[in-house]
């Protein structure tokens, strides 16, 4: 394997040493850096974490085995790991205003699966939003492990306004009497009325479980209402609007469920946690409690609205008529094209987004009738409302006429002008 030699300095470990790095991997890292800098990411589940968060990922805690929980580890030498994990837990509780937090899950999908395995017994019934209507694959999709054991029932959006129909949710719950109702997902652009969902859950004696992965940052930044005190359990990843490290999950819950939730993660499903990732999560959980982050969360919403105005102005149809979050779902089928075609056209213009099924979609997921976009990452880069309105309009023109090369070229030139010299994490967000 081709290697090159560098002077590597990490004084805390070994002083200055000469070591070798893998040139092939290093080359790919540089190419990826160039790609990220020269493109605009509109992927609704992507963001750029802060330099402080990135600094602590891969720190010396990466090599510490801290299997177990603070004060109850399976190995010795965990005095600082204990302090670190307790710090992350306290920050999570304070950021979200909840009674208990578990910060060890390797991802939100793993957190979801761990909870299902520990808290429910087949053939318990679980209820969630249909995947096609905006749900998530870890909420019982037939091809996912979560779909194998439980009796699932699904609710969706209404055909008229493509938004949740709470009367329908209630009647499905009354008919199926699930042990838990899960809400939240990956492509629902509207806010969820947690109070209404809680009333329905109470009526059928079910737990209310909110998968907050997409909007957790907007909740922590106090830009949208919190699922607490209505939710019994909240799960979330940390890398979407929350702007933290990728590959991390949080579980937030009431004290009455704390023991079961902790057991669900360890020893229920995972072994030793990644302590360097817990360090990065702790940093993130302090960042989200600053005024700067609250400003960021408000800007994410403003920018999403500006994208909406730009798209609607060019005649694009948006699922549910628009957005109340960071996420927009374009009905590209209406324009006689597919999500995969538009995904490719946008990529030619250096804009990254993803094809996505839409409610009542007639196409396969690999083609898809929709395109999903989000405003979290471009807001972190510092783009503002004016730029987002223009960007929405230029994307709209590509959607309305994907085969027109001039429209792709016009969008590409917008991207070049607006990303030149722009770092991924704008320094205005440094707290
Ligand atoms: N949940 C998937 C998404 O929304 O893109 C991945 O995190």
């Amino acid at each position: 394997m081709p290697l090159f030699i560098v002077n590597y300095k990490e004084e805390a470990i070994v002083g200055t040493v000469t070591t070798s790095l893998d040139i092939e991997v290093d080359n790919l890292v540089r190419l990826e850096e160039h790609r990220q800098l020269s493109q605009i990411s509109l992927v609704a589940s992507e963001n750029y974490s802060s330099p402080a968060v990135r600094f602590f990922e891969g720190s010396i805690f990466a090599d510490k085995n801290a299997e177990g929980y603070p004060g109850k580890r399976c190995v010795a030498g965990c005095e600082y790991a204990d302090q670190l994990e307790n710090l992350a837990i306290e920050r999570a509780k304070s950021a979200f205003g909840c009674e208990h937090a578990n910060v060890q899950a390797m991802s939100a999908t793993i957190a979801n699966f761990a909870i299902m395995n520990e808290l429910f017994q087949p053939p318990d019934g679980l209820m969630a939003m249909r995947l096609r209507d905006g749900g998530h694959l870890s909420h019982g999709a037939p091809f996912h492990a979560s779909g194998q054991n439980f009796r699932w029932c699904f609710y969706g959006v209404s055909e008229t306004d493509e938004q949740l129909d709470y009367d329908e949710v209630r009647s499905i719950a009354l008919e199926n009497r699930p042990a838990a109702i899960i809400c939240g997902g990956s492509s629902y652009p509207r806010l969820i009325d947690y109070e209404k969902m809680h009333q329905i859950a109470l009526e059928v004696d079910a737990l209310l479980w909110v998968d907050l992965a997409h909007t957790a940052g907007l909740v922590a930044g106090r830009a949208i209402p919190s699922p607490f005190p209505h939710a019994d359990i909240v799960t979330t990843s940390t890398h979407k609007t929350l702007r933290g490290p990728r590959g991390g999950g949080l579980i937030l819950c009431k004290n009455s469920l704390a023991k079961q939730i902790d057991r669900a993660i360890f020893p229920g499903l995972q072994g030793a946690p990644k302590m360097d990732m817990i360090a990065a999560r702790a940093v993130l959980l302090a960042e989200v409690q600053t005024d700067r982050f609250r400003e960021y969360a408000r800007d994410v919403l403003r920018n999403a609205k500006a994208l909406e105005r730009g798209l609607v102005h060019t005649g694009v149809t948006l699922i549910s008529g628009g957005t109340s979050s960071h996420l927009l779902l374009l009905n590209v089928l209406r324009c006689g094209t597919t999500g995969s075609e538009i995904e490719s056209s946008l990529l030619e213009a250096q804009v990254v987004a993803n094809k996505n099924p839409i409610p009542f979609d007639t196409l396969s997921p690999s083609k898809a009738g929709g395109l999903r976009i989000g405003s979290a990452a471009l807001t972190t880069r510092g783009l503002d409302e004016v730029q987002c309105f223009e960007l929405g309009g230029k994307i709209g023109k590509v959607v309305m006429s994907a085969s027109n090369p001039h429209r792709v070229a016009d969008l590409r030139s917008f991207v070049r002008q607006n990303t030149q010299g722009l770092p991924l994490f704008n320094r205005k967000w440094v707290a």
Side-chain angles (χ1 to χ4, degrees):
M1 184 172 30
L3 297 173
F4 68 98
I5 306 299
V6 294
N7 280 331
Y8 173 74
K9 192 176 182 192
E10 189 153 3
E11 281 171 358
I13 309 176
V14 281
T16 302
V17 294
T18 295
T19 188
S20 47
L21 285 186
D22 184 320
I23 199 165
E24 284 176 301
V25 173
D26 184 68
N27 188 38
L28 291 171
V29 169
R30 284 165 203 266
L31 288 170
E32 174 63 12
E33 182 182 35
H34 175 73
R35 185 195 69 76
Q36 291 193 19
L37 284 165
S38 55
Q39 296 182 332
I40 288 183
S41 173
L42 287 176
V43 178
S45 53
E46 283 185 358
N47 209 336
Y48 308 105
S49 49
S50 73
V53 166
R54 293 284 300 278
F55 181 81
F56 289 107
E57 285 187 65
S59 64
I60 198 160
F61 272 113
D63 288 333
K64 180 64 193 132
N65 177 351
E67 194 162 11
Y69 287 107
K72 291 172 283 184
R73 305 285 187 187
C74 304
V75 292
C78 290
E79 56 272 37
Y80 303 115
D82 281 4
Q83 288 182 41
L84 175 65
E85 187 165 345
N86 282 329
L87 185 65
I89 289 169
E90 288 312 312
R91 288 180 178 180
K93 283 160 57 178
S94 144
F96 288 95
C98 61
E99 292 174 359
H100 180 73
N102 183 301
V103 298
Q104 291 198 0
M106 302 289 188
S107 75
T109 295
I110 286 174
N112 287 346
F113 194 57
I115 294 169
M116 280 168 209
N117 284 337
E118 184 67 31
L119 269 67
F120 308 104
Q121 296 296 323
D124 273 350
L126 295 173
M127 178 167 157
M129 193 191 297
R130 201 171 291 118
L131 187 57
R132 182 202 65 184
D133 288 8
H136 189 253
L137 58 85
S138 65
H139 306 167
F143 49 81
H144 187 261
S146 61
Q148 307 305 311
N149 289 334
F150 301 97
R151 189 170 48 82
W152 284 91
C153 60
F154 297 97
Y155 57 90
V157 297
S158 114
E159 210 158 351
T160 37
D161 65 1
E162 295 165 333
Q163 299 199 31
L164 280 180
D165 174 347
Y166 293 93
D167 291 334
E168 199 213 3
V169 176
R170 179 171 175 268
S171 67
I172 294 172
L174 285 169
E175 194 184 321
N176 291 278
R177 300 254 152 205
I181 299 178
I182 303 175
C183 57
S186 269
S187 57
Y188 185 61
R190 296 293 175 174
L191 301 186
I192 293 170
D193 188 331
Y194 298 123
E195 195 173 347
K196 273 193 191 152
M197 293 299 281
H198 186 213
Q199 287 308 321
I200 297 168
L202 283 177
E203 213 177 328
V204 298
D205 202 20
L207 293 177
L208 179 62
W209 172 354
V210 177
D211 186 332
L212 198 65
H214 266 270
T215 54
L218 306 179
V219 168
R222 312 229 176 128
I224 63 169
S226 168
F228 291 112
H230 310 296
D232 297 289
I233 305 168
V234 171
T235 48
T236 180
S237 51
T238 55
H239 56 265
K240 298 182 175 107
T241 52
L242 206 50
R243 218 180 60 190
R246 182 166 273 278
L250 301 175
I251 309 177
L252 314 166
C253 65
K254 298 186 170 166
N255 268 336
S256 53
L257 291 169
K259 278 203 174 118
Q260 277 175 289
I261 289 293
D262 285 349
R263 209 166 47 226
I265 291 293
F266 178 82
L269 190 64
Q270 287 188 180
K274 281 279 289 156
M275 289 312 297
D276 60 321
M277 295 302 284
I278 289 181
R281 272 169 233 159
V283 174
L284 155 78
L285 289 162
E287 285 179 359
V288 299
Q289 296 184 64
T290 60
D291 288 343
R292 264 318 142 78
F293 191 85
R294 288 183 192 144
E295 192 189 327
Y296 166 74
R298 285 194 298 271
D299 279 4
V300 169
L301 288 184
R302 272 195 209 110
N303 282 345
K305 279 306 215 189
L307 285 168
E308 175 192 299
R309 286 195 299 279
L311 287 160
V312 169
H313 190 67
T314 52
V316 173
T317 304
L318 297 172
I319 295 297
S320 82
T323 180
S324 340
S325 64
H326 65 301
L327 187 154
L328 300 97
L329 190 57
L330 285 60
N331 184 342
V332 298
L333 205 53
R334 279 265 175 93
C335 309
T337 180
T338 66
S340 62
E341 272 170 20
I342 298 299
E343 185 186 289
S344 304
S345 300
L346 294 185
L347 197 56
E348 278 178 47
Q350 304 297 328
V351 171
V352 188
N354 69 282
K355 60 186 171 297
N356 209 93
I358 51 175
F360 313 103
D361 210 335
T362 51
L363 299 180
S364 68
S366 62
K367 285 204 168 104
L371 184 94
R372 185 184 70 159
I373 63 173
S375 59
L378 58 73
T379 306
T380 300
R381 286 194 85 172
L383 269 68
D384 64 16
E385 274 181 285
V386 175
Q387 289 166 301
C388 286
F389 176 74
E390 198 180 339
L391 177 61
K394 290 185 188 301
I395 290 173
K397 285 183 180 162
V398 171
V399 172
M400 299 305 280
S401 174
S403 54
N404 184 337
H406 297 301
R407 294 186 164 184
V408 172
D410 189 36
L411 178 58
R412 193 185 303 118
S413 119
F414 172 90
V415 174
R416 198 176 305 119
Q417 280 163 23
N418 288 274
T419 56
Q420 218 151 37
L422 195 67
L424 298 173
F425 192 92
N426 195 295
R427 68 167 60 104
K428 77 175 171 177
W429 302 128
V430 177

